[in-house]
């Protein structure tokens, strides 16, 4: 029973730590709320301009009608001739696809938030085979309708001006919509000359396009051989889908993708469930449309990211809030027991609240100034506040300076954890090990039973 008072003291401190979880969780909730506001700002920009863009194509679509004549005997044994007609569309992918483009980034302000937008100046060049396949069954005849080229653009509002399209050296006008592929793609199309002797126009296709979008750009590698090049002066790109050969510097990036159809399922995915070039028609609400896709189409993605996302950084920092509280309270408790200097639970609570308010200051300031500046100002304010308050609690400016130094080291280590994300686990583990080692060294000769009897 002689150590009951010591146990009660530790239970009280533990209860205060749990109590301080409430403001820490509220601050994390505020961070998530502000991040949600940022997402709303992105949506407002998307509604006013254009969203994330995905470019698909060109695809050559050729309508066809297949006629099969079948002889049969009626009830009187007389030969009759019946014609079976099947209609469908041929989806032809490019033999080669070359895409080069310059991505010009900009930022659009929506209140406190800045949203990354871009203009993509692109040149697309594709080649197709001219010969069209014959009928699918022996004895049938296939007739081809007017072919057209489809360019898939996920948000056509981003098309600036009128794209320049040349097919076999001749300029062709573009129209809205994607025709037969309307259920699979949004975009534009251009009608080609009629099929002659089983050959379709459009062996050489070239288009100049200015496309606006928000935050990210995707290109679908539809060709048998794809050569896609994107360059920009944005120094922080994020590549997904396929890994490019890239050069990233402080002045921007230059990325190149060379992708074979052997390494991509895009052609099969875009053709639908059967994966065939020639597809029988499907009528929906009186319109002939391809079936919707059951899965997304493989694509390469380029995102313009912010390397220092203040909300992600603030959220990561707040996760260490309980560690700050625990370490500070452990230091208080050891000081109280070893130096016989009583510290009231209310004083523990006030110090813990001052530690928690740091994360709220960090969040609010980082929305207006650079993150490192917000971190420096918040840390300096909280350390100064603790120093002045603890000089009275610990009855010594020197002791308060010691705790202020400890807090300065903790804030410095935390900033190192935030900026070194790849090594955060290692640094955090070493920090905890070092702190535990120091506590064990300081208390290695403490007689806890004697402290329990002497505790007031």
């Amino acid at each position: 029973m002689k150590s009951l008072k010591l146990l009660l003291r530790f239970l009280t401190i533990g209860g205060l730590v749990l109590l301080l979880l409430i403001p820490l969780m509220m601050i994390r909730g505020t961070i998530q709320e502000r991040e949600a506001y940022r997402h709303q700002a992105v949506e407002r920009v998307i509604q006013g301009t254009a969203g994330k863009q995905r470019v698909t194509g060109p695809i050559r679509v050729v309508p066809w009608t297949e006629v099969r004549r079948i002889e049969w005997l009626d009830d009187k044994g007389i030969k009759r001739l019946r014609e079976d007609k099947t209609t469908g569309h041929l989806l032809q992918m490019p033999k080669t696809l070359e895409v080069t483009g310059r991505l010009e980034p900009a930022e659009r302000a929506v209140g406190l938030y800045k949203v990354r937008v871009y203009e993509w100046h692109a040149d697309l060049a594709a080649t197709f085979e001219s010969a069209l396949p014959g009928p699918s069954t022996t004895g049938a005849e296939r007739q081809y309708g007017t072919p057209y080229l489809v360019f898939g653009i996920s948000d056509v509002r981003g098309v600036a001006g009128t794209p320049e399209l040349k097919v076999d050296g001749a300029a062709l006008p573009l129209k809205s919509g994607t025709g037969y592929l309307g259920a699979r793609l949004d975009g534009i199309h251009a009608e080609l000359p009629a099929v002659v002797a089983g050959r379709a126009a459009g062996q050489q296709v070239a288009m100049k396009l200015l496309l606006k979008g928000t935050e990210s750009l995707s290109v679908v590698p539809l060709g048998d051989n794809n050569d896609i090049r994107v360059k920009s002066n944005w120094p922080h790109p994020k590549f997904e889908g396929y890994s490019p050969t890239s050069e990233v510097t402080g002045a921007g990036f230059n990325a190149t993708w060379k992708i074979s159809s052997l390494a991509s399922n895009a052609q099969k995915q875009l053709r639908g469930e059967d994966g065939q070039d020639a597809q029988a028609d499907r009528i929906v609400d009186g319109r002939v449309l391809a079936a919707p896709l059951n899965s997304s189409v493989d694509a390469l993605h380029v995102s313009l990211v912010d390397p220092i996302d203040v909300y992600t950084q603030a959220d990561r920092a707040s996760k260490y809030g309980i560690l700050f509280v625990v370490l500070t309270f452990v230091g208080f408790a050891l000081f109280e027991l070893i130096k016989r200097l009583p510290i009231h639970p209310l004083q523990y609570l006030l110090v813990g609240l001052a530690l928690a308010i740091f994360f709220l200051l960090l969040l609010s300031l980082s929305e207006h100034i650079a993150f490192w500046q917000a971190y420096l100002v918040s840390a300096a304010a909280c350390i100064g506040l603790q120093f002045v308050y603890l000089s009275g609690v610990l009855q010594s400016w020197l002791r308060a300076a010691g705790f202020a130094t400890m807090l300065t080291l903790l804030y410095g280590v935390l900033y190192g954890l935030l900026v070194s994300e790849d090594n955060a686990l290692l640094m955090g583990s070493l920090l905890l090990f070092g702190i535990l080692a120091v506590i064990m060294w300081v208390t290695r000769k403490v007689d806890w039973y004697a402290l329990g009897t002497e505790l007031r």
Side-chain angles (χ1 to χ4, degrees):
M1 295 297 293
K2 62 182 181 180
S3 61
L4 180 60
K5 290 184 178 180
L6 183 62
L7 178 61
L8 289 176
R9 172 65 68 177
F10 285 149
L11 289 177
T12 301
I13 295 173
L16 291 174
V17 171
L18 295 177
L19 183 62
L20 286 169
L21 284 175
I22 297 175
L24 288 173
M25 293 303 295
M26 292 176 66
I27 292 172
R28 290 201 64 191
T30 301
I31 295 172
Q32 294 170 359
E33 181 180 320
R34 302 298 289 185
E35 190 170 16
Y37 290 155
R38 197 263 305 274
H39 290 316
Q40 291 176 9
V42 173
E43 290 301 318
R44 286 179 60 185
V45 172
I46 289 175
Q47 291 173 7
T49 55
K52 298 179 179 180
Q53 293 288 12
R54 175 186 289 250
V55 177
T56 309
I59 305 167
R60 190 166 63 185
V61 181
V62 188
W64 53 264
T65 301
E66 198 165 279
V67 180
R68 184 181 179 189
R69 294 177 175 84
I70 302 174
E71 288 186 351
W72 58 287
L73 298 176
D74 61 12
D75 295 340
K76 297 180 180 180
I78 300 175
K79 287 184 179 182
R80 302 287 186 182
L81 188 63
R82 183 180 78 240
E83 287 188 353
D84 286 346
K85 287 187 178 182
T86 304
T87 60
H89 285 74
L90 182 67
L91 304 183
Q92 290 189 308
M93 309 300 170
K95 299 299 292 181
T96 63
L97 176 62
E98 295 182 2
V99 180
T100 59
R102 184 178 76 258
L103 208 59
E104 295 184 351
E107 289 185 331
R108 178 165 295 185
V110 180
L112 291 174
Y113 309 100
K114 292 183 178 180
V115 181
R116 294 173 295 281
V117 296
Y118 61 82
E119 289 186 351
W120 187 43
H121 300 259
D123 290 283
L124 287 75
T127 61
F128 291 86
E129 289 184 349
S130 62
L132 300 177
S136 58
T137 58
T138 304
E141 296 179 1
R142 176 176 287 187
Q143 298 176 345
Y144 286 103
T146 302
Y148 53 93
L149 288 172
V150 169
F151 297 86
I153 299 173
S154 58
D155 193 340
V156 292
R157 296 176 304 160
V159 177
T162 301
E164 299 177 9
L165 174 65
K166 287 188 176 182
V167 177
D168 298 331
L172 289 182
L174 287 157
K175 301 178 181 179
S176 62
T178 56
Y180 173 71
L181 295 177
R184 299 182 184 178
L185 294 173
D186 290 324
I188 53 181
H189 75 280
E191 291 186 359
L192 298 174
V195 175
V196 178
R199 293 183 174 274
Q203 296 181 50
Q204 302 288 334
V205 177
M207 184 171 74
K208 290 184 178 294
L209 173 69
L210 175 56
L211 186 65
K212 296 181 179 181
T214 302
E215 293 192 336
S216 72
L217 169 71
S218 303
V219 180
V220 177
L222 272 186
D224 292 343
N225 291 287
N226 303 274
D227 186 348
I228 302 168
R229 303 170 187 266
V230 179
K231 64 180 180 180
S232 174
N233 59 0
W234 185 263
H236 308 292
K238 180 181 180 181
F239 304 117
E240 296 178 292
Y242 294 88
S243 297
T245 302
S246 61
E247 179 184 358
V248 181
T249 66
F253 70 89
N254 198 335
T256 300
W257 292 262
K258 293 184 180 294
I259 305 170
S260 166
S261 59
L262 299 176
S264 171
N265 291 320
Q267 293 185 358
K268 182 179 179 180
Q269 291 166 339
L270 194 59
R271 283 171 176 145
E273 296 179 357
D274 54 12
Q276 300 298 313
D277 291 355
Q279 301 181 4
D281 284 344
R282 172 177 172 270
I283 300 177
V284 179
D285 295 332
R287 298 177 60 199
V288 177
L289 293 174
L293 297 177
N294 293 327
S295 61
S296 60
V297 179
D298 291 349
L300 58 92
H301 310 276
V302 182
S303 300
L304 307 179
V305 300
D306 186 350
I308 304 178
D309 185 330
V310 296
Y311 300 109
T312 300
Q313 297 284 55
D315 184 63
R316 288 182 59 212
S318 67
K319 294 177 182 178
Y320 294 96
I322 190 64
L323 177 63
F324 273 54
V325 173
V326 169
L327 292 179
T328 304
F329 280 13
V330 168
F332 272 14
L334 292 177
F335 197 89
E336 179 180 5
L337 295 173
I338 295 173
K339 295 297 183 180
R340 309 295 194 273
L341 182 65
I343 302 176
H344 195 274
L346 182 59
Q347 294 171 319
Y348 275 93
L349 183 61
L350 290 174
V351 170
L353 290 174
L355 292 172
I357 204 69
F358 161 78
F359 302 102
L360 188 60
L361 281 175
L362 176 62
L363 171 63
S364 56
L365 289 173
S366 62
E367 290 184 336
H368 298 273
I369 59 178
F371 183 80
W372 70 269
Q373 295 173 339
Y375 192 95
L376 181 62
V377 172
S378 302
C382 290
I383 292 171
L385 176 63
Q386 299 277 29
F387 173 69
V388 174
Y389 182 70
L390 291 178
S391 65
V393 174
L394 302 179
Q395 302 174 10
S396 169
W397 288 101
L398 185 61
R399 295 169 181 173
F403 270 95
T405 302
M406 180 197 73
L407 287 175
T408 302
L409 291 174
L410 282 177
Y411 283 121
V413 172
L414 175 59
Y415 188 77
L417 291 173
L418 295 178
V419 298
S420 302
E421 186 174 354
D422 294 338
N423 300 315
L425 179 59
L426 175 61
M427 294 176 63
S429 302
L430 292 176
L431 172 65
L432 291 177
F433 178 81
I435 292 172
L436 180 60
V438 170
I439 293 174
M440 293 177 69
W441 175 263
V442 171
T443 61
R444 70 190 188 281
K445 295 182 179 180
V446 172
D447 187 346
W448 296 101
Y449 288 107
L451 286 176
T453 57
E454 296 173 6
L455 185 67
R456 293 191 295 175

